[in-house]
Amino acid sequence: MAADSTVKSPENKYSNTIGNSLDIVQSTIYLLVAIFLILMAFMAFYIVAQDMMNFVREPASILLVDKALENLMVVFVITGLIQTLIVYIKTHAIDTRLVLAVGLTAVIRRVLVFGATPKPWEDTAMTAVLLFVLILGIFMVARADTRKKHGGE
C-alpha cells in the first residue's frame, strides 16, 4: 500500500507545533510593542497639551515654541512607528519608505531643536550626515519603485 501523503510524520507535527507556538509568541510581542507605542503617543499628547497650557500661563518665548514643536514631532515619530508596525503585521514585510519617513521625521525634529539651543559642531555634523543618508535612501527607493513600474530590474 502506498504511503498516504496526508499523514504527517512526527517531525512535521512537531515542526508545525513549534512554528505555531513561535507565531503566537511573535504576535504577542507585536501586540505588546503596539500597546507600548500607543501609551507613549498618549503620554506625548499629554505633554503637548501641557506645552499648549504654558503658552497661556507664561510670557511668549521662542524656547516655549521650540519645546512644544519638539514634543509634537515626537508624536509624529511615534505615530510613524505605529504605522510601520501595522504595515509589518499585515504584510510581514518592512516598508522601507515608512522606515525612511520615520527616520526623516526624527531628523527634522532634531534640526528644529538645533534652532533654539546651542549644540556642539559634532552633533550638527552627525545630523547632516543622517539627513544626507535618509535623503539618499528615499531617492534610491523612489528610483527602484520607478524602475519596477516601467519594467526594469
Side-chain angles (χ1 to χ4, degrees):
M1 181 175 205
D4 187 7
S5 62
T6 59
V7 176
K8 293 184 178 179
S9 67
E11 294 84 21
N12 285 342
K13 180 180 174 186
Y14 294 125
S15 295
N16 287 337
T17 302
I18 291 170
N20 291 338
S21 299
L22 290 176
D23 279 343
I24 291 170
V25 169
Q26 182 182 26
S27 296
T28 303
I29 290 170
Y30 288 145
L31 178 63
L32 291 174
V33 169
I35 290 169
F36 175 74
L37 287 172
I38 290 167
L39 289 174
M40 293 298 295
F42 282 123
M43 287 190 296
F45 272 126
Y46 176 74
I47 292 169
V48 169
Q50 286 180 326
D51 291 339
M52 297 302 289
M53 290 304 298
N54 287 337
F55 287 129
V56 175
R57 290 184 281 197
E58 298 178 21
S61 163
I62 191 67
L63 293 176
L64 281 177
V65 172
D66 184 58
K67 183 176 170 84
L69 193 55
E70 178 182 355
N71 291 332
L72 186 60
M73 293 299 287
V74 169
V75 172
F76 287 134
V77 170
I78 292 170
T79 55
L81 290 172
I82 292 169
Q83 184 181 13
T84 303
L85 182 63
I86 290 168
V87 168
Y88 181 77
I89 289 170
K90 287 182 178 181
T91 65
H92 291 285
I94 295 175
D95 187 343
T96 312
R97 289 170 292 167
L98 284 176
V99 174
L100 289 170
V102 170
L104 188 60
T105 304
V107 171
I108 289 170
R109 174 190 163 273
R110 188 175 168 107
V111 168
L112 291 174
V113 171
F114 280 168
T117 56
K119 298 287 183 195
W121 71 269
E122 295 92 353
D123 285 354
T124 306
M126 180 58 72
T127 301
V129 169
L130 288 172
L131 189 59
F132 175 75
V133 168
L134 286 168
I135 291 171
L136 182 64
I138 290 169
F139 173 76
M140 291 173 71
V141 167
R143 189 172 172 192
D145 287 347
T146 302
R147 284 184 179 172
K148 284 180 187 177
K149 286 180 184 176
H150 296 300
E153 291 182 14

